[in-house]
Amino acid sequence: MRVTIKDILARKGSREKITALTCYDYLTARILDEAGLDILLVGDSLGMVMLGYESTVPVTMRDMLHHVKAVCRGAKKSLVTADMPLGSYDNPAQAVRNARRFMKEGGADAVKLEGGARIRKQIESLTAAGVPVMGHLGLTPQSASQLGGYRVQGQGRREAEAIVRDAVLLDRLGVFALVLECVPAQLGAKVTRSVRCPTIGIGAGPKTDGQVLVTQDMLGYETKVSPKFVRRYASLGAAVRKAAKRFSEDVRRGAFPAAQESY
Ligand code: KIV
C-alpha cells in the first residue's frame, strides 16, 4: 500500500516516527522504497549532490522535473515530495502552475516550499488547488545568504519566536508536514508541540515527529566533514573508490574480463 498524506498526518505524536530521505534517481528510489521509507524527498539539494553546484540557488524546474520523474518511476510505496526550486514560486499563480507540473508530468504526490509568512499567499493558493504542501523552516538553504550562511537558526529568543510564529501560520494554512532544519533541539520540540501537523527534523533534535537526511550524507559518500546532525550509516565513498581502483587495476593488468565473463 502506498503511503498517503493521511498516513503522514496520523503519525503526529505517534511513537512510530516518520522516516524520510532525499532521493534523486530511479535505482536509489527503488532501494529506499524497498527499505520502507515513508517519504522520498526530491530535494533541490540535488544541485550540490547531483549537479556539483555550490548551493541550491541555480537549480531549475527543468532540473527538478528530470529527477522527480526518475524517482517516481522507482517509488512504488513511499510518498514522493518534490522540492520547489528558487524562482518557481515567486507568486501564487506561478506556484500552482509549477506544483501541478510536478504532479502531472513528474508524478509527485506533494511539493515542498521554503519559508513562512513571506509565502503565505502561495501556500493558500496551493492548498486551495488541492496540492499537498510540506513546509520548511529554520535553515532554508535557498535564502542561506540572507540567514548568514549555513548556521543554526533560532538561537536567540526573537529568532526562535519568529520560527514558532511561522510554524503556527503554516500549520493553520494546511501544510501536511513541516521540515525543521538546523535549529536547537529545544526549539524543535517547541515547534512540534505548537503545531497539529507532523514535524520532520534535520538537525532539529530528537523530539520532532520524523527525521530526514540527505541520502548521500547518510551513506558516507563524502569523506570530508559533514554537519553535526549527520549520522553516517555506511562509507560508500570509500567503498566506491576502492571498487573503481580494483576494476582499473584488473583491466590494466588484463585480469578483467575473464573467460567466464566473455561470450
Ligand atoms: O533539498 C533538500 O534536500 C532538503 C532537505 C535537506 C530537507 O530540503
Side-chain angles (χ1 to χ4, degrees):
M1 290 269 280
R2 263 196 109 78
V3 176
T4 63
I5 299 291
K6 216 169 147 193
D7 297 328
I8 300 298
L9 286 167
R11 298 283 189 81
K12 178 68 190 179
S14 156
R15 283 231 290 269
E16 198 189 344
K17 300 262 184 181
I18 298 164
T19 58
L21 282 171
T22 63
C23 189
Y24 318 108
D25 66 281
Y26 166 75
L27 198 50
T28 309
R30 265 182 44 191
I31 295 168
L32 299 183
D33 189 83
E34 283 162 17
L37 267 291
D38 295 311
I39 298 177
L40 301 189
L41 172 65
V42 189
D44 60 354
S45 50
L46 69 81
M48 286 100 98
V49 180
M50 292 282 116
L51 305 175
Y53 294 138
E54 289 286 318
S55 75
T56 59
V57 170
V59 176
T60 62
M61 272 301 293
R62 193 163 176 234
D63 295 330
M64 290 302 302
L65 262 172
H66 180 70
H67 289 272
V68 168
K69 286 178 186 173
V71 169
C72 288
R73 283 181 211 119
K76 301 290 172 244
K77 290 189 189 143
S78 311
L79 185 118
V80 177
T81 300
D83 221 354
M84 300 203 61
L86 182 70
S88 71
Y89 56 104
D90 289 340
N91 58 63
Q94 187 198 31
V96 171
R97 193 167 55 247
N98 284 323
R100 287 231 165 97
R101 287 194 72 193
F102 277 140
M103 297 176 80
K104 284 172 76 101
E105 293 173 44
D109 300 299
V111 299
K112 176 169 83 59
L113 282 74
E114 294 183 7
R118 186 176 55 81
I119 54 158
R120 173 193 190 124
K121 290 208 164 75
Q122 284 86 327
I123 296 186
E124 275 169 352
S125 301
L126 286 166
T127 50
V131 176
V133 178
M134 180 184 280
H136 185 161
L137 294 173
L139 174 58
T140 45
Q142 290 173 12
S143 40
S145 56
Q146 267 171 289
L147 300 174
Y150 294 88
R151 63 171 192 86
V152 184
Q153 301 295 306
Q155 286 185 296
R157 189 168 62 86
R158 283 172 64 164
E159 246 193 37
E161 281 171 3
I163 291 174
V164 175
R165 255 199 322 277
D166 272 340
V168 170
L169 172 69
L170 294 187
D171 188 41
R172 259 205 347 254
L173 295 177
V175 298
F176 75 92
L178 178 59
V179 168
L180 275 178
E181 180 164 355
C182 222
V183 297
Q186 256 194 342
L187 180 56
K190 180 159 187 204
V191 171
T192 301
R193 284 194 307 272
S194 309
V195 295
R196 287 163 310 171
C197 69
T199 55
I200 303 175
I202 171 163
K207 292 285 164 72
T208 52
D209 300 299
Q211 297 290 331
V212 59
L213 282 178
V214 169
T215 294
Q216 282 71 5
D217 288 347
M218 183 280 288
L219 292 178
Y221 263 90
E222 288 278 19
T223 43
K224 63 183 189 207
V225 189
S226 44
K228 177 180 174 174
F229 59 74
V230 172
R231 185 180 292 178
R232 286 191 184 148
Y233 287 85
S235 301
L236 286 203
V240 171
R241 199 170 296 113
K242 193 169 162 199
K245 250 175 111 171
R246 283 184 51 210
F247 166 76
S248 295
E249 281 163 10
D250 282 354
V251 171
R252 285 179 188 137
R253 67 191 173 91
F256 177 81
Q260 70 271 24
E261 288 148 341
S262 306
Y263 295 105

CSV table of all heavy atoms in Angstrom, one decimal, residues 20-25 32 39-51 53 55-57 59-61 63-68 71 79-86 102 108 110-114 134 136 141-142 179 181 202 212-216:
chain,number,residue,atom,x,y,z
A,20,ALA,N,12.2,9.8,6.4
A,20,ALA,CA,12.4,10.5,5.1
A,20,ALA,C,13.8,10.6,4.7
A,20,ALA,O,14.7,10.8,5.5
A,20,ALA,CB,11.7,11.9,5.1
A,21,LEU,N,14.1,10.4,3.4
A,21,LEU,CA,15.5,10.6,2.9
A,21,LEU,C,15.3,11.3,1.6
A,21,LEU,O,14.3,11.2,0.9
A,21,LEU,CB,16.2,9.2,2.7
A,21,LEU,CG,16.7,8.5,3.9
A,21,LEU,CD1,17.2,7.1,3.6
A,21,LEU,CD2,17.9,9.3,4.6
A,22,THR,N,16.4,12.0,1.2
A,22,THR,CA,16.4,12.6,-0.1
A,22,THR,C,16.6,11.5,-1.2
A,22,THR,O,17.2,10.5,-0.9
A,22,THR,CB,17.4,13.7,-0.3
A,22,THR,OG1,18.7,13.1,-0.1
A,22,THR,CG2,17.3,14.8,0.8
A,23,CYS,N,16.2,11.8,-2.4
A,23,CYS,CA,16.4,10.8,-3.4
A,23,CYS,C,16.3,11.6,-4.7
A,23,CYS,O,15.5,12.4,-4.9
A,23,CYS,CB,15.3,9.8,-3.4
A,23,CYS,SG,15.6,8.4,-4.5
A,24,TYR,N,17.2,11.2,-5.7
A,24,TYR,CA,17.3,11.9,-6.9
A,24,TYR,C,17.3,11.0,-8.2
A,24,TYR,O,17.3,11.5,-9.3
A,24,TYR,CB,18.6,12.8,-6.9
A,24,TYR,CG,18.9,13.4,-5.6
A,24,TYR,CD1,20.0,13.0,-4.8
A,24,TYR,CD2,18.2,14.5,-5.2
A,24,TYR,CE1,20.3,13.6,-3.6
A,24,TYR,CE2,18.5,15.2,-4.0
A,24,TYR,CZ,19.5,14.7,-3.2
A,24,TYR,OH,19.9,15.3,-2.0
A,25,ASP,N,17.3,9.7,-8.0
A,25,ASP,CA,17.4,8.8,-9.2
A,25,ASP,C,16.5,7.6,-9.0
A,25,ASP,O,16.2,7.2,-7.9
A,25,ASP,CB,18.8,8.5,-9.5
A,25,ASP,CG,19.4,7.6,-8.4
A,25,ASP,OD1,19.8,8.1,-7.3
A,25,ASP,OD2,19.5,6.4,-8.5
A,32,LEU,N,15.4,2.6,-1.7
A,32,LEU,CA,14.8,3.3,-0.5
A,32,LEU,C,13.4,2.9,-0.3
A,32,LEU,O,12.9,2.7,0.9
A,32,LEU,CB,15.0,4.8,-0.6
A,32,LEU,CG,16.4,5.3,-0.7
A,32,LEU,CD1,16.4,6.9,-0.7
A,32,LEU,CD2,17.3,4.9,0.4
A,39,ILE,N,8.8,8.7,3.2
A,39,ILE,CA,8.9,9.8,2.2
A,39,ILE,C,10.2,9.8,1.5
A,39,ILE,O,11.3,9.7,2.1
A,39,ILE,CB,8.7,11.2,3.0
A,39,ILE,CG1,7.3,11.2,3.7
A,39,ILE,CG2,8.8,12.3,2.0
A,39,ILE,CD1,7.0,12.5,4.5
A,40,LEU,N,10.1,10.0,0.2
A,40,LEU,CA,11.3,10.2,-0.6
A,40,LEU,C,11.2,11.7,-1.0
A,40,LEU,O,10.2,12.1,-1.7
A,40,LEU,CB,11.4,9.4,-1.8
A,40,LEU,CG,11.5,7.8,-1.6
A,40,LEU,CD1,11.8,7.1,-2.9
A,40,LEU,CD2,12.5,7.4,-0.5
A,41,LEU,N,12.2,12.5,-0.6
A,41,LEU,CA,12.2,13.9,-0.9
A,41,LEU,C,13.1,14.2,-2.0
A,41,LEU,O,14.4,14.0,-1.9
A,41,LEU,CB,12.6,14.7,0.3
A,41,LEU,CG,12.8,16.2,0.1
A,41,LEU,CD1,11.5,16.9,-0.3
A,41,LEU,CD2,13.4,16.9,1.3
A,42,VAL,N,12.6,14.6,-3.2
A,42,VAL,CA,13.5,15.0,-4.3
A,42,VAL,C,13.9,16.5,-4.0
A,42,VAL,O,13.2,17.4,-4.3
A,42,VAL,CB,12.8,14.9,-5.7
A,42,VAL,CG1,13.8,15.1,-6.8
A,42,VAL,CG2,12.1,13.6,-5.8
A,43,GLY,N,14.9,16.6,-3.1
A,43,GLY,CA,15.3,17.9,-2.6
A,43,GLY,C,16.1,18.7,-3.7
A,43,GLY,O,16.7,18.1,-4.6
A,44,ASP,N,16.0,20.0,-3.6
A,44,ASP,CA,16.8,20.8,-4.5
A,44,ASP,C,18.3,20.7,-4.1
A,44,ASP,O,19.1,21.3,-4.8
A,44,ASP,CB,16.3,22.3,-4.6
A,44,ASP,CG,16.3,23.0,-3.3
A,44,ASP,OD1,16.6,22.4,-2.3
A,44,ASP,OD2,16.0,24.2,-3.3
A,45,SER,N,18.6,20.0,-3.0
A,45,SER,CA,20.0,19.7,-2.7
A,45,SER,C,20.6,18.9,-3.8
A,45,SER,O,21.8,18.8,-3.8
A,45,SER,CB,20.0,18.9,-1.3
A,45,SER,OG,19.1,17.8,-1.4
A,46,LEU,N,19.8,18.4,-4.7
A,46,LEU,CA,20.4,17.8,-5.9
A,46,LEU,C,21.3,18.7,-6.6
A,46,LEU,O,22.2,18.2,-7.4
A,46,LEU,CB,19.3,17.2,-6.8
A,46,LEU,CG,18.4,18.1,-7.6
A,46,LEU,CD1,19.0,18.6,-8.9
A,46,LEU,CD2,17.1,17.4,-8.0
A,47,GLY,N,21.1,20.0,-6.5
A,47,GLY,CA,22.0,21.0,-7.1
A,47,GLY,C,23.5,20.7,-6.7
A,47,GLY,O,24.4,20.7,-7.5
A,48,MET,N,23.7,20.5,-5.4
A,48,MET,CA,25.0,20.2,-4.9
A,48,MET,C,25.4,18.7,-5.1
A,48,MET,O,26.4,18.4,-5.5
A,48,MET,CB,25.1,20.5,-3.4
A,48,MET,CG,25.2,22.0,-3.1
A,48,MET,SD,23.5,22.5,-2.6
A,48,MET,CE,23.7,22.5,-0.8
A,49,VAL,N,24.4,17.8,-4.7
A,49,VAL,CA,24.8,16.4,-4.7
A,49,VAL,C,24.9,15.8,-6.1
A,49,VAL,O,25.8,15.0,-6.3
A,49,VAL,CB,23.7,15.6,-3.9
A,49,VAL,CG1,24.0,14.1,-3.8
A,49,VAL,CG2,23.6,16.2,-2.5
A,50,MET,N,24.0,16.2,-7.0
A,50,MET,CA,24.0,15.5,-8.3
A,50,MET,C,24.7,16.4,-9.4
A,50,MET,O,25.2,15.9,-10.3
A,50,MET,CB,22.5,15.3,-8.8
A,50,MET,CG,21.8,14.3,-8.0
A,50,MET,SD,22.3,12.6,-8.5
A,50,MET,CE,23.0,12.0,-7.0
A,51,LEU,N,24.6,17.7,-9.2
A,51,LEU,CA,25.0,18.6,-10.3
A,51,LEU,C,26.3,19.4,-10.0
A,51,LEU,O,26.8,20.1,-10.9
A,51,LEU,CB,23.8,19.6,-10.7
A,51,LEU,CG,22.5,18.9,-11.0
A,51,LEU,CD1,21.4,20.0,-11.2
A,51,LEU,CD2,22.6,18.0,-12.2
A,53,TYR,N,26.8,22.0,-8.0
A,53,TYR,CA,26.7,23.5,-7.8
A,53,TYR,C,27.2,23.7,-6.3
A,53,TYR,O,27.2,22.8,-5.5
A,53,TYR,CB,25.3,24.0,-7.9
A,53,TYR,CG,24.7,23.9,-9.3
A,53,TYR,CD1,23.4,23.5,-9.5
A,53,TYR,CD2,25.5,24.4,-10.4
A,53,TYR,CE1,22.9,23.5,-10.8
A,53,TYR,CE2,24.9,24.3,-11.7
A,53,TYR,CZ,23.6,23.9,-11.9
A,53,TYR,OH,23.1,23.9,-13.1
A,55,SER,N,25.5,25.7,-4.3
A,55,SER,CA,24.3,25.9,-3.5
A,55,SER,C,23.1,25.4,-4.3
A,55,SER,O,23.2,25.0,-5.4
A,55,SER,CB,24.1,27.4,-3.1
A,55,SER,OG,23.6,28.1,-4.2
A,56,THR,N,21.9,25.6,-3.7
A,56,THR,CA,20.7,25.2,-4.4
A,56,THR,C,20.1,26.3,-5.3
A,56,THR,O,19.2,26.0,-6.0
A,56,THR,CB,19.6,24.8,-3.3
A,56,THR,OG1,19.3,26.0,-2.5
A,56,THR,CG2,19.9,23.7,-2.4
A,57,VAL,N,20.8,27.4,-5.2
A,57,VAL,CA,20.2,28.6,-6.0
A,57,VAL,C,20.1,28.4,-7.5
A,57,VAL,O,19.1,28.8,-8.1
A,57,VAL,CB,21.1,29.9,-5.6
A,57,VAL,CG1,20.8,31.1,-6.5
A,57,VAL,CG2,20.9,30.3,-4.2
A,59,VAL,N,19.4,25.8,-9.2
A,59,VAL,CA,18.6,24.7,-9.6
A,59,VAL,C,17.3,25.2,-10.3
A,59,VAL,O,16.7,26.1,-9.8
A,59,VAL,CB,18.2,23.8,-8.4
A,59,VAL,CG1,17.3,22.7,-8.8
A,59,VAL,CG2,19.5,23.2,-7.8
A,60,THR,N,16.9,24.6,-11.4
A,60,THR,CA,15.8,25.0,-12.2
A,60,THR,C,14.6,24.0,-12.1
A,60,THR,O,14.8,22.8,-11.7
A,60,THR,CB,16.2,25.1,-13.7
A,60,THR,OG1,16.5,23.8,-14.1
A,60,THR,CG2,17.3,26.1,-13.9
A,61,MET,N,13.5,24.4,-12.6
A,61,MET,CA,12.3,23.5,-12.7
A,61,MET,C,12.7,22.3,-13.6
A,61,MET,O,12.3,21.1,-13.3
A,61,MET,CB,11.1,24.2,-13.3
A,61,MET,CG,10.2,24.9,-12.3
A,61,MET,SD,9.5,23.8,-11.0
A,61,MET,CE,8.4,22.8,-11.9
A,63,ASP,N,15.6,21.0,-14.1
A,63,ASP,CA,16.5,20.0,-13.4
A,63,ASP,C,15.6,19.2,-12.5
A,63,ASP,O,15.7,17.9,-12.4
A,63,ASP,CB,17.5,20.8,-12.4
A,63,ASP,CG,18.5,21.6,-13.2
A,63,ASP,OD1,18.9,21.2,-14.3
A,63,ASP,OD2,19.0,22.6,-12.6
A,64,MET,N,14.7,19.8,-11.7
A,64,MET,CA,13.9,19.1,-10.7
A,64,MET,C,13.0,18.1,-11.4
A,64,MET,O,12.9,17.0,-10.9
A,64,MET,CB,13.1,20.1,-9.9
A,64,MET,CG,13.9,21.0,-8.9
A,64,MET,SD,14.8,20.1,-7.7
A,64,MET,CE,13.6,19.1,-6.9
A,65,LEU,N,12.3,18.5,-12.4
A,65,LEU,CA,11.4,17.6,-13.1
A,65,LEU,C,12.1,16.3,-13.6
A,65,LEU,O,11.5,15.2,-13.5
A,65,LEU,CB,10.7,18.3,-14.3
A,65,LEU,CG,9.3,18.9,-14.0
A,65,LEU,CD1,8.9,19.7,-15.2
A,65,LEU,CD2,8.3,17.8,-13.7
A,66,HIS,N,13.3,16.5,-14.2
A,66,HIS,CA,14.0,15.4,-14.7
A,66,HIS,C,14.2,14.3,-13.6
A,66,HIS,O,14.0,13.1,-13.8
A,66,HIS,CB,15.4,15.9,-15.1
A,66,HIS,CG,16.3,15.0,-15.7
A,66,HIS,ND1,16.1,14.3,-16.9
A,66,HIS,CD2,17.5,14.5,-15.2
A,66,HIS,CE1,17.1,13.5,-17.2
A,66,HIS,NE2,18.0,13.6,-16.2
A,67,HIS,N,14.6,14.8,-12.4
A,67,HIS,CA,14.9,13.9,-11.3
A,67,HIS,C,13.6,13.4,-10.6
A,67,HIS,O,13.5,12.2,-10.2
A,67,HIS,CB,15.8,14.6,-10.2
A,67,HIS,CG,17.2,14.7,-10.7
A,67,HIS,ND1,18.2,13.8,-10.6
A,67,HIS,CD2,17.8,15.7,-11.4
A,67,HIS,CE1,19.3,14.2,-11.2
A,67,HIS,NE2,19.1,15.4,-11.7
A,68,VAL,N,12.6,14.2,-10.5
A,68,VAL,CA,11.3,13.8,-9.9
A,68,VAL,C,10.7,12.7,-10.7
A,68,VAL,O,10.3,11.7,-10.2
A,68,VAL,CB,10.3,15.0,-9.9
A,68,VAL,CG1,8.9,14.5,-9.6
A,68,VAL,CG2,10.7,16.0,-8.8
A,71,VAL,N,12.6,9.4,-9.9
A,71,VAL,CA,12.3,8.9,-8.6
A,71,VAL,C,10.9,8.3,-8.6
A,71,VAL,O,10.7,7.2,-8.1
A,71,VAL,CB,12.4,10.0,-7.5
A,71,VAL,CG1,11.9,9.6,-6.2
A,71,VAL,CG2,13.9,10.5,-7.4
A,79,LEU,N,5.9,8.0,-0.3
A,79,LEU,CA,5.3,9.2,-0.8
A,79,LEU,C,6.4,10.1,-1.3
A,79,LEU,O,7.4,10.4,-0.7
A,79,LEU,CB,4.6,9.9,0.4
A,79,LEU,CG,3.8,11.1,0.1
A,79,LEU,CD1,2.4,10.9,0.4
A,79,LEU,CD2,4.3,12.3,0.8
A,80,VAL,N,6.3,10.5,-2.6
A,80,VAL,CA,7.3,11.3,-3.2
A,80,VAL,C,7.0,12.8,-3.1
A,80,VAL,O,5.9,13.3,-3.6
A,80,VAL,CB,7.5,10.9,-4.7
A,80,VAL,CG1,8.6,11.8,-5.4
A,80,VAL,CG2,7.9,9.5,-4.8
A,81,THR,N,7.9,13.6,-2.5
A,81,THR,CA,7.7,15.0,-2.4
A,81,THR,C,8.7,15.8,-3.2
A,81,THR,O,9.9,15.5,-3.1
A,81,THR,CB,7.8,15.4,-0.9
A,81,THR,OG1,6.7,14.7,-0.2
A,81,THR,CG2,7.6,16.9,-0.7
A,82,ALA,N,8.3,16.7,-4.0
A,82,ALA,CA,9.2,17.4,-4.9
A,82,ALA,C,9.4,18.8,-4.3
A,82,ALA,O,8.5,19.5,-4.0
A,82,ALA,CB,8.6,17.6,-6.3
A,83,ASP,N,10.7,19.2,-4.3
A,83,ASP,CA,11.1,20.5,-3.7
A,83,ASP,C,10.9,21.5,-4.8
A,83,ASP,O,11.4,21.3,-5.9
A,83,ASP,CB,12.6,20.4,-3.4
A,83,ASP,CG,12.9,21.1,-2.1
A,83,ASP,OD1,12.0,21.8,-1.5
A,83,ASP,OD2,14.1,21.0,-1.6
A,84,MET,N,10.3,22.6,-4.5
A,84,MET,CA,10.1,23.7,-5.5
A,84,MET,C,11.4,24.6,-5.5
A,84,MET,O,11.7,25.1,-4.4
A,84,MET,CB,8.9,24.5,-5.2
A,84,MET,CG,7.6,23.6,-5.2
A,84,MET,SD,6.1,24.4,-5.5
A,84,MET,CE,6.3,25.1,-7.1
A,85,PRO,N,12.1,24.7,-6.6
A,85,PRO,CA,13.3,25.4,-6.6
A,85,PRO,C,13.1,26.9,-6.5
A,85,PRO,O,12.0,27.4,-6.8
A,85,PRO,CB,14.0,25.0,-7.9
A,85,PRO,CG,12.9,24.7,-8.8
A,85,PRO,CD,11.8,24.1,-8.0
A,86,LEU,N,14.2,27.6,-6.1
A,86,LEU,CA,14.1,29.1,-6.1
A,86,LEU,C,13.6,29.7,-7.4
A,86,LEU,O,14.1,29.3,-8.5
A,86,LEU,CB,15.6,29.6,-5.7
A,86,LEU,CG,15.7,31.1,-5.6
A,86,LEU,CD1,15.0,31.5,-4.3
A,86,LEU,CD2,17.2,31.5,-5.5
A,102,PHE,N,4.8,19.3,-11.3
A,102,PHE,CA,5.5,18.2,-10.6
A,102,PHE,C,4.5,17.0,-10.4
A,102,PHE,O,5.0,15.9,-10.5
A,102,PHE,CB,5.9,18.7,-9.2
A,102,PHE,CG,7.2,19.4,-9.2
A,102,PHE,CD1,7.4,20.6,-8.4
A,102,PHE,CD2,8.3,19.0,-9.9
A,102,PHE,CE1,8.6,21.2,-8.4
A,102,PHE,CE2,9.5,19.6,-9.9
A,102,PHE,CZ,9.7,20.7,-9.1
A,108,ALA,N,4.7,13.4,-8.8
A,108,ALA,CA,5.0,13.6,-7.4
A,108,ALA,C,3.6,13.6,-6.7
A,108,ALA,O,2.6,13.9,-7.2
A,108,ALA,CB,5.7,14.9,-7.2
A,110,ALA,N,3.4,15.3,-3.7
A,110,ALA,CA,3.3,16.6,-2.9
A,110,ALA,C,4.5,17.5,-3.2
A,110,ALA,O,5.4,17.0,-3.9
A,110,ALA,CB,3.4,16.2,-1.4
A,111,VAL,N,4.4,18.7,-2.8
A,111,VAL,CA,5.6,19.6,-3.0
A,111,VAL,C,6.0,20.2,-1.7
A,111,VAL,O,5.3,20.3,-0.7
A,111,VAL,CB,5.2,20.8,-4.0
A,111,VAL,CG1,4.8,20.2,-5.4
A,111,VAL,CG2,4.1,21.7,-3.4
A,112,LYS,N,7.3,20.7,-1.7
A,112,LYS,CA,7.8,21.4,-0.5
A,112,LYS,C,8.3,22.8,-0.9
A,112,LYS,O,8.9,23.0,-2.0
A,112,LYS,CB,9.0,20.6,0.1
A,112,LYS,CG,9.6,21.3,1.3
A,112,LYS,CD,10.6,20.4,2.0
A,112,LYS,CE,12.0,20.3,1.4
A,112,LYS,NZ,12.7,21.6,1.3
A,113,LEU,N,8.0,23.8,0.0
A,113,LEU,CA,8.4,25.2,-0.3
A,113,LEU,C,9.1,25.7,1.0
A,113,LEU,O,8.7,25.3,2.1
A,113,LEU,CB,7.2,26.1,-0.5
A,113,LEU,CG,6.4,26.1,-1.8
A,113,LEU,CD1,5.6,24.9,-1.9
A,113,LEU,CD2,5.5,27.3,-1.8
A,114,GLU,N,10.1,26.5,0.8
A,114,GLU,CA,10.8,27.1,1.9
A,114,GLU,C,10.2,28.5,2.3
A,114,GLU,O,10.0,29.3,1.4
A,114,GLU,CB,12.3,27.3,1.5
A,114,GLU,CG,13.0,26.0,1.3
A,114,GLU,CD,14.5,26.2,1.0
A,114,GLU,OE1,15.0,27.4,1.1
A,114,GLU,OE2,15.2,25.2,0.7
A,134,MET,N,4.3,20.6,1.8
A,134,MET,CA,5.2,20.4,3.0
A,134,MET,C,5.9,21.7,3.2
A,134,MET,O,6.4,22.3,2.2
A,134,MET,CB,6.2,19.3,2.7
A,134,MET,CG,7.2,19.0,3.8
A,134,MET,SD,8.4,17.7,3.3
A,134,MET,CE,7.5,16.2,3.5
A,136,HIS,N,8.8,24.3,5.2
A,136,HIS,CA,10.3,24.1,5.5
A,136,HIS,C,10.7,25.4,6.2
A,136,HIS,O,10.7,26.5,5.6
A,136,HIS,CB,11.1,23.9,4.2
A,136,HIS,CG,12.5,23.6,4.4
A,136,HIS,ND1,13.3,23.0,3.5
A,136,HIS,CD2,13.4,23.8,5.5
A,136,HIS,CE1,14.6,22.9,3.9
A,136,HIS,NE2,14.6,23.4,5.1
A,141,PRO,N,17.9,26.7,2.8
A,141,PRO,CA,19.1,26.9,2.0
A,141,PRO,C,18.9,27.9,0.9
A,141,PRO,O,19.9,28.5,0.5
A,141,PRO,CB,19.4,25.5,1.5
A,141,PRO,CG,18.8,24.6,2.6
A,141,PRO,CD,17.6,25.2,3.0
A,142,GLN,N,17.7,28.0,0.3
A,142,GLN,CA,17.5,28.9,-0.8
A,142,GLN,C,17.8,30.4,-0.4
A,142,GLN,O,18.0,31.2,-1.2
A,142,GLN,CB,16.1,28.8,-1.4
A,142,GLN,CG,15.9,27.5,-2.1
A,142,GLN,CD,14.4,27.3,-2.5
A,142,GLN,OE1,13.6,28.2,-2.5
A,142,GLN,NE2,14.1,26.1,-3.0
A,179,VAL,N,9.1,20.6,7.6
A,179,VAL,CA,10.6,20.3,7.8
A,179,VAL,C,11.2,21.4,8.6
A,179,VAL,O,10.9,22.6,8.4
A,179,VAL,CB,11.3,20.2,6.4
A,179,VAL,CG1,12.8,20.2,6.6
A,179,VAL,CG2,10.9,18.9,5.7
A,181,GLU,N,14.8,22.7,9.8
A,181,GLU,CA,16.2,22.4,9.6
A,181,GLU,C,17.1,23.2,10.5
A,181,GLU,O,17.0,24.4,10.5
A,181,GLU,CB,16.5,22.7,8.1
A,181,GLU,CG,18.0,22.4,7.7
A,181,GLU,CD,18.3,22.3,6.2
A,181,GLU,OE1,17.3,22.3,5.4
A,181,GLU,OE2,19.5,22.1,5.9
A,202,ILE,N,15.7,17.9,10.5
A,202,ILE,CA,17.0,17.6,10.0
A,202,ILE,C,17.9,18.6,10.8
A,202,ILE,O,18.0,19.8,10.6
A,202,ILE,CB,17.1,17.8,8.5
A,202,ILE,CG1,18.6,17.7,8.0
A,202,ILE,CG2,16.5,19.1,7.9
A,202,ILE,CD1,18.8,17.5,6.5
A,212,VAL,N,14.7,13.5,8.6
A,212,VAL,CA,15.1,13.4,7.2
A,212,VAL,C,16.6,13.7,7.1
A,212,VAL,O,17.1,14.5,7.9
A,212,VAL,CB,14.3,14.4,6.3
A,212,VAL,CG1,14.5,15.8,6.7
A,212,VAL,CG2,14.7,14.2,4.8
A,213,LEU,N,17.3,13.0,6.2
A,213,LEU,CA,18.7,13.3,5.9
A,213,LEU,C,18.9,13.3,4.4
A,213,LEU,O,18.1,12.7,3.7
A,213,LEU,CB,19.6,12.3,6.6
A,213,LEU,CG,19.9,12.4,8.1
A,213,LEU,CD1,20.8,11.3,8.6
A,213,LEU,CD2,20.6,13.7,8.5
A,214,VAL,N,20.0,13.9,4.0
A,214,VAL,CA,20.4,13.7,2.6
A,214,VAL,C,21.0,12.3,2.5
A,214,VAL,O,21.9,12.0,3.3
A,214,VAL,CB,21.4,14.8,2.2
A,214,VAL,CG1,22.1,14.6,0.9
A,214,VAL,CG2,20.7,16.2,2.2
A,215,THR,N,20.5,11.5,1.6
A,215,THR,CA,20.9,10.1,1.5
A,215,THR,C,22.4,10.0,1.3
A,215,THR,O,23.1,9.1,2.0
A,215,THR,CB,20.2,9.5,0.3
A,215,THR,OG1,18.8,9.5,0.6
A,215,THR,CG2,20.6,8.1,0.0
A,216,GLN,N,23.0,10.8,0.5
A,216,GLN,CA,24.5,10.7,0.2
A,216,GLN,C,25.3,11.0,1.5
A,216,GLN,O,26.4,10.4,1.7
A,216,GLN,CB,24.9,11.5,-1.0
A,216,GLN,CG,24.6,10.9,-2.3
A,216,GLN,CD,23.1,11.0,-2.7
A,216,GLN,OE1,22.2,11.5,-1.9
A,216,GLN,NE2,22.8,10.4,-3.8
